[in-house]
mmCIF file of all heavy atoms in Angstrom:
data_model
loop_
_atom_site.group_PDB
_atom_site.id
_atom_site.type_symbol
_atom_site.label_atom_id
_atom_site.label_comp_id
_atom_site.label_asym_id
_atom_site.label_seq_id
_atom_site.Cartn_x
_atom_site.Cartn_y
_atom_site.Cartn_z
ATOM 1 N N LEU A 13 93.051 196.576 109.648
ATOM 2 C CA LEU A 13 92.027 195.739 109.022
ATOM 3 C C LEU A 13 91.340 196.410 107.852
ATOM 4 O O LEU A 13 90.607 195.750 107.109
ATOM 5 C CB LEU A 13 90.979 195.336 110.072
ATOM 6 C CG LEU A 13 91.508 194.506 111.249
ATOM 7 C CD1 LEU A 13 90.388 194.200 112.229
ATOM 8 C CD2 LEU A 13 92.151 193.217 110.762
ATOM 9 N N ASP A 14 91.562 197.698 107.650
ATOM 10 C CA ASP A 14 90.917 198.419 106.559
ATOM 11 C C ASP A 14 91.783 198.468 105.306
ATOM 12 O O ASP A 14 91.257 198.564 104.200
ATOM 13 C CB ASP A 14 90.570 199.846 107.006
ATOM 14 C CG ASP A 14 89.582 199.860 108.167
ATOM 15 O OD1 ASP A 14 88.696 198.995 108.172
ATOM 16 O OD2 ASP A 14 89.708 200.721 109.047
ATOM 17 N N GLU A 15 93.086 198.413 105.470
ATOM 18 C CA GLU A 15 94.001 198.471 104.338
ATOM 19 C C GLU A 15 95.066 197.391 104.493
ATOM 20 O O GLU A 15 95.460 197.046 105.608
ATOM 21 C CB GLU A 15 94.658 199.853 104.227
ATOM 22 C CG GLU A 15 93.663 200.972 103.986
ATOM 23 C CD GLU A 15 94.358 202.267 103.595
ATOM 24 O OE1 GLU A 15 95.550 202.218 103.280
ATOM 25 O OE2 GLU A 15 93.685 203.310 103.609
ATOM 26 N N ASP A 16 95.513 196.888 103.348
ATOM 27 C CA ASP A 16 96.491 195.803 103.350
ATOM 28 C C ASP A 16 97.896 196.392 103.435
ATOM 29 O O ASP A 16 98.591 196.530 102.440
ATOM 30 C CB ASP A 16 96.324 194.964 102.079
ATOM 31 C CG ASP A 16 97.217 193.731 102.094
ATOM 32 O OD1 ASP A 16 97.769 193.415 103.161
ATOM 33 O OD2 ASP A 16 97.364 193.093 101.038
ATOM 34 N N ASN A 17 98.313 196.725 104.653
ATOM 35 C CA ASN A 17 99.640 197.299 104.872
ATOM 36 C C ASN A 17 100.578 196.342 105.593
ATOM 37 O O ASN A 17 101.649 196.756 106.052
ATOM 38 C CB ASN A 17 99.522 198.602 105.686
ATOM 39 C CG ASN A 17 98.838 199.694 104.895
ATOM 40 O OD1 ASN A 17 98.914 199.726 103.673
ATOM 41 N ND2 ASN A 17 98.147 200.586 105.585
ATOM 42 N N GLY A 18 100.185 195.087 105.725
ATOM 43 C CA GLY A 18 101.040 194.131 106.410
ATOM 44 C C GLY A 18 100.904 194.227 107.925
ATOM 45 O O GLY A 18 100.069 194.960 108.463
ATOM 46 N N THR A 19 101.736 193.469 108.597
ATOM 47 C CA THR A 19 101.730 193.403 110.058
ATOM 48 C C THR A 19 103.053 193.911 110.597
ATOM 49 O O THR A 19 104.115 193.565 110.075
ATOM 50 C CB THR A 19 101.487 191.962 110.529
ATOM 51 O OG1 THR A 19 100.221 191.515 110.046
ATOM 52 C CG2 THR A 19 101.509 191.870 112.041
ATOM 53 N N THR A 20 102.977 194.719 111.653
ATOM 54 C CA THR A 20 104.158 195.244 112.327
ATOM 55 C C THR A 20 104.289 194.582 113.690
ATOM 56 O O THR A 20 103.318 194.552 114.460
ATOM 57 C CB THR A 20 104.067 196.769 112.506
ATOM 58 O OG1 THR A 20 103.900 197.377 111.222
ATOM 59 C CG2 THR A 20 105.322 197.322 113.160
ATOM 60 N N ALA A 21 105.466 194.024 113.980
ATOM 61 C CA ALA A 21 105.714 193.376 115.275
ATOM 62 C C ALA A 21 106.737 194.201 116.051
ATOM 63 O O ALA A 21 107.783 194.585 115.508
ATOM 64 C CB ALA A 21 106.219 191.957 115.074
ATOM 65 N N VAL A 22 106.420 194.478 117.330
ATOM 66 C CA VAL A 22 107.278 195.313 118.171
ATOM 67 C C VAL A 22 107.430 194.648 119.531
ATOM 68 O O VAL A 22 106.443 194.140 120.101
ATOM 69 C CB VAL A 22 106.688 196.733 118.350
ATOM 70 C CG1 VAL A 22 107.703 197.639 119.047
ATOM 71 C CG2 VAL A 22 106.243 197.314 117.023
ATOM 72 N N ASP A 23 108.659 194.664 120.070
ATOM 73 C CA ASP A 23 108.896 194.162 121.421
ATOM 74 C C ASP A 23 108.581 195.257 122.433
ATOM 75 O O ASP A 23 109.037 196.398 122.296
ATOM 76 C CB ASP A 23 110.355 193.738 121.587
ATOM 77 C CG ASP A 23 110.602 192.351 121.027
ATOM 78 O OD1 ASP A 23 109.664 191.775 120.463
ATOM 79 O OD2 ASP A 23 111.747 191.858 121.137
ATOM 80 N N ALA A 24 107.802 194.903 123.446
ATOM 81 C CA ALA A 24 107.477 195.852 124.512
ATOM 82 C C ALA A 24 108.596 195.876 125.557
ATOM 83 O O ALA A 24 109.252 194.856 125.811
ATOM 84 C CB ALA A 24 106.143 195.485 125.154
ATOM 85 N N GLN A 25 108.786 197.052 126.136
ATOM 86 C CA GLN A 25 109.806 197.230 127.177
ATOM 87 C C GLN A 25 109.144 197.134 128.549
ATOM 88 O O GLN A 25 108.113 197.766 128.804
ATOM 89 C CB GLN A 25 110.494 198.586 127.010
ATOM 90 C CG GLN A 25 111.138 198.802 125.653
ATOM 91 C CD GLN A 25 112.256 197.822 125.384
ATOM 92 O OE1 GLN A 25 113.059 197.527 126.280
ATOM 93 N NE2 GLN A 25 112.309 197.303 124.156
ATOM 94 N N GLU A 26 109.769 196.362 129.458
ATOM 95 C CA GLU A 26 109.228 196.196 130.801
ATOM 96 C C GLU A 26 109.524 197.434 131.638
ATOM 97 O O GLU A 26 110.675 197.908 131.691
ATOM 98 C CB GLU A 26 109.810 194.955 131.465
ATOM 99 C CG GLU A 26 109.165 194.638 132.799
ATOM 100 C CD GLU A 26 109.656 193.326 133.378
ATOM 101 O OE1 GLU A 26 110.653 192.778 132.852
ATOM 102 O OE2 GLU A 26 109.037 192.846 134.347
ATOM 103 N N ILE A 27 108.517 198.000 132.248
ATOM 104 C CA ILE A 27 108.703 199.169 133.110
ATOM 105 C C ILE A 27 108.549 198.812 134.586
ATOM 106 O O ILE A 27 109.040 199.522 135.452
ATOM 107 C CB ILE A 27 107.731 200.307 132.726
ATOM 108 C CG1 ILE A 27 106.273 199.818 132.739
ATOM 109 C CG2 ILE A 27 108.094 200.885 131.367
ATOM 110 C CD1 ILE A 27 105.260 200.910 132.426
ATOM 111 N N SER A 28 107.843 197.740 134.886
ATOM 112 C CA SER A 28 107.738 197.205 136.241
ATOM 113 C C SER A 28 107.236 195.776 136.113
ATOM 114 O O SER A 28 106.913 195.321 135.002
ATOM 115 C CB SER A 28 106.799 198.051 137.114
ATOM 116 O OG SER A 28 105.480 198.025 136.603
ATOM 117 N N GLU A 29 107.147 195.057 137.207
ATOM 118 C CA GLU A 29 106.737 193.663 137.128
ATOM 119 C C GLU A 29 105.325 193.542 136.549
ATOM 120 O O GLU A 29 104.364 194.089 137.096
ATOM 121 C CB GLU A 29 106.776 193.025 138.518
ATOM 122 C CG GLU A 29 106.493 191.531 138.480
ATOM 123 C CD GLU A 29 106.590 190.904 139.852
ATOM 124 O OE1 GLU A 29 106.932 191.615 140.833
ATOM 125 O OE2 GLU A 29 106.294 189.694 139.961
ATOM 126 N N GLY A 30 105.237 192.877 135.417
ATOM 127 C CA GLY A 30 103.952 192.654 134.769
ATOM 128 C C GLY A 30 103.456 193.812 133.931
ATOM 129 O O GLY A 30 102.371 193.723 133.340
ATOM 130 N N GLU A 31 104.223 194.913 133.859
ATOM 131 C CA GLU A 31 103.807 196.080 133.072
ATOM 132 C C GLU A 31 104.849 196.389 132.002
ATOM 133 O O GLU A 31 106.055 196.389 132.285
ATOM 134 C CB GLU A 31 103.599 197.288 133.980
ATOM 135 C CG GLU A 31 102.449 197.125 134.957
ATOM 136 C CD GLU A 31 102.176 198.396 135.735
ATOM 137 O OE1 GLU A 31 102.963 199.368 135.593
ATOM 138 O OE2 GLU A 31 101.168 198.439 136.468
ATOM 139 N N TYR A 32 104.308 196.696 130.778
ATOM 140 C CA TYR A 32 105.192 196.921 129.626
ATOM 141 C C TYR A 32 104.652 198.120 128.839
ATOM 142 O O TYR A 32 103.464 198.466 128.936
ATOM 143 C CB TYR A 32 105.220 195.684 128.725
ATOM 144 C CG TYR A 32 105.633 194.424 129.457
ATOM 145 C CD1 TYR A 32 104.688 193.698 130.195
ATOM 146 C CD2 TYR A 32 106.942 193.977 129.416
ATOM 147 C CE1 TYR A 32 105.060 192.548 130.883
ATOM 148 C CE2 TYR A 32 107.316 192.818 130.097
ATOM 149 C CZ TYR A 32 106.368 192.113 130.829
ATOM 150 O OH TYR A 32 106.740 190.988 131.506
ATOM 151 N N HIS A 33 105.542 198.727 128.037
ATOM 152 C CA HIS A 33 105.087 199.853 127.221
ATOM 153 C C HIS A 33 105.852 199.874 125.896
ATOM 154 O O HIS A 33 106.952 199.315 125.776
ATOM 155 C CB HIS A 33 105.257 201.173 127.970
ATOM 156 C CG HIS A 33 106.605 201.805 127.768
ATOM 157 N ND1 HIS A 33 107.775 201.298 128.306
ATOM 158 C CD2 HIS A 33 106.965 202.913 127.056
ATOM 159 C CE1 HIS A 33 108.794 202.045 127.954
ATOM 160 N NE2 HIS A 33 108.342 203.032 127.194
ATOM 161 N N ILE A 34 105.212 200.544 124.906
ATOM 162 C CA ILE A 34 105.792 200.765 123.565
ATOM 163 C C ILE A 34 105.460 202.193 123.168
ATOM 164 O O ILE A 34 104.326 202.654 123.388
ATOM 165 C CB ILE A 34 105.222 199.788 122.517
ATOM 166 C CG1 ILE A 34 105.540 198.342 122.879
ATOM 167 C CG2 ILE A 34 105.745 200.110 121.110
ATOM 168 C CD1 ILE A 34 104.833 197.320 121.999
ATOM 169 N N GLY A 35 106.381 202.887 122.586
ATOM 170 C CA GLY A 35 106.114 204.222 122.057
ATOM 171 C C GLY A 35 106.455 204.292 120.579
ATOM 172 O O GLY A 35 107.461 203.721 120.139
ATOM 173 N N GLY A 36 105.618 204.970 119.785
ATOM 174 C CA GLY A 36 105.905 205.098 118.358
ATOM 175 C C GLY A 36 104.658 205.375 117.541
ATOM 176 O O GLY A 36 103.535 205.359 118.053
ATOM 177 N N SER A 37 104.859 205.602 116.254
ATOM 178 C CA SER A 37 103.753 205.926 115.331
ATOM 179 C C SER A 37 103.287 204.659 114.630
ATOM 180 O O SER A 37 103.305 204.572 113.388
ATOM 181 C CB SER A 37 104.202 206.985 114.318
ATOM 182 O OG SER A 37 104.625 208.154 114.954
#
């Protein structure tokens, strides 16, 4: 929200029922 760098969309990986995670910079 501070700089106009666009939007990044990432798919989360399911690790258990109802729980998801994403790793990265």
Side-chain angles (χ1 to χ4, degrees):
L13 298 179
D14 298 323
E15 298 192 13
D16 186 12
N17 292 331
T19 300
T20 303
V22 189
D23 279 4
Q25 303 297 319
E26 187 174 12
I27 55 178
S28 63
E29 186 178 357
E31 294 186 354
Y32 304 83
H33 89 289
I34 299 171
S37 301

